[in-house]
Amino acid sequence: GTIVVAAPVDDLFWTEQIANHITTLNSAILETNPQARRVLWIAGDFSPRTQKEMKALGWELRPRALEKIKDN
């Protein structure tokens, strides 16, 4: 299946706190559903470092989510 996380975040930067939260979330998902497709939608953009780290963990990133859904 697919796990979709929608976060009301303008821009996401890779900080120690974000790294800890993402690592905890990622571990919990992989424990319960190791084959899950993981997708993170946010309102703004991902920093280049966040893109690199999240993709290394296997996440698909969807920036500017509101722009993609507002016309539907």
Side-chain angles (χ1 to χ4, degrees), residues 23-57:
T23 301
T24 299
L25 176 63
N26 200 56
S27 294
I29 292 170
L30 292 176
E31 279 182 32
T32 58
N33 191 347
Q35 301 303 316
R37 180 176 159 225
R38 290 154 286 145
V39 184
L40 177 58
W41 289 71
I42 65 170
D45 288 307
F46 296 94
S47 72
R49 172 84 187 270
T50 301
Q51 290 178 38
K52 176 184 170 194
E53 299 291 345
M54 296 286 297
K55 288 179 180 179
L57 291 171

Side-chain angles (χ1 to χ4, degrees), residues 9-27:
V9 176
D10 288 331
D11 293 301
L12 190 60
F13 295 90
W14 195 257
T15 64
E16 183 177 348
Q17 184 177 13
I18 293 297
N20 289 338
H21 287 302
I22 295 297
T23 301
T24 299
L25 176 63
N26 200 56
S27 294

